[in-house]
Amino acid sequence: MTTASRRNREFTGRHLLAIMLGFFGVIIAVNVTMAVVAGTSWTGFVVQNSYVASQEFNEKVAEARAQAALGWTAHLEIADGAIRYALEDEAGKPVHLESVSVNLRRPAYESEDAKVALTALPGGNGFTADFAVRDGIWIVEVLAEAGLDHPHRDTRRIIVQNGRMK
């Protein structure tokens, strides 16, 4: 290679302009993409009115303490396309329940949220419903009417894998 065939390459203003446009173009494209994804996913909506929710907090804590004092044991099973729920008292005997409903919520978005009403099993051995829960993380809230002032509330964060609760 001769010196004449080697071209002297200079860094010009055009090179700097191309680098700057490319750099900021990538940043702007990523920001626009993230803004669109954020705007079309979870709304962030948790409660209608945060002030009212904060005022109800002490009531909910009192209800939870009263419920814990009962000493009841809850049995939740999600498997084989069904949800089963039963309550036992301190002595291990089934608690008579009038009705049971299950609220299934995804922690990050609302599109798959569901409310399922369970029906009583023969012999008073709990409640069940045919409902296939998709794999993933769920927040399960069970409301069981047991003739108390407030429904028995059982809230859990669970993982469903291969159609079964882990």
Side-chain angles (χ1 to χ4, degrees):
M1 187 187 302
T2 64
T3 358
S5 66
R6 261 177 88 194
R7 242 179 110 192
N8 189 8
R9 295 186 182 229
E10 291 182 7
F11 188 78
T12 65
R14 288 185 183 199
H15 293 114
L16 179 62
L17 178 64
I19 290 171
M20 296 295 282
L21 289 175
F23 177 78
F24 286 108
V26 168
I27 290 174
I28 291 169
V30 168
N31 285 337
V32 167
T33 302
M34 297 299 279
V36 168
V37 168
T40 58
S41 63
W42 185 50
T43 61
F45 179 78
V46 177
V47 293
Q48 292 276 351
N49 185 329
S50 60
Y51 176 75
V52 171
S54 71
Q55 298 304 307
E56 294 172 348
F57 179 78
N58 288 338
E59 290 175 27
K60 290 183 180 181
V61 169
E63 287 176 25
R65 286 187 179 141
Q67 180 176 307
L70 295 172
W72 292 353
T73 304
H75 299 282
L76 173 67
E77 182 184 351
I78 297 174
D80 305 322
I83 301 172
R84 291 175 203 68
Y85 189 78
L87 274 176
E88 292 178 351
D89 63 12
E90 287 181 295
K93 296 178 184 174
V95 174
H96 172 71
L97 300 174
E98 298 166 13
S99 66
V100 176
S101 66
V102 177
N103 295 319
L104 297 157
R105 294 177 294 158
R106 290 284 196 179
Y109 51 92
E110 301 168 349
S111 63
E112 293 184 48
D113 292 359
K115 184 174 184 173
V116 181
L118 279 61
T119 56
L121 287 168
N125 296 328
F127 282 71
T128 188
D130 290 332
F131 188 83
V133 179
R134 290 187 50 187
D135 288 355
I137 299 172
W138 292 90
I139 296 172
V140 179
E141 179 184 40
V142 181
L143 299 173
E145 289 291 341
L148 305 173
D149 291 340
H150 302 284
H152 184 276
R153 184 181 308 270
D154 182 4
T155 305
R156 307 175 189 197
R157 186 179 181 113
I158 65 165
I159 297 173
V160 176
Q161 188 174 35
N162 298 323
R164 296 185 148 305
M165 184 174 84
K166 289 180 85 177

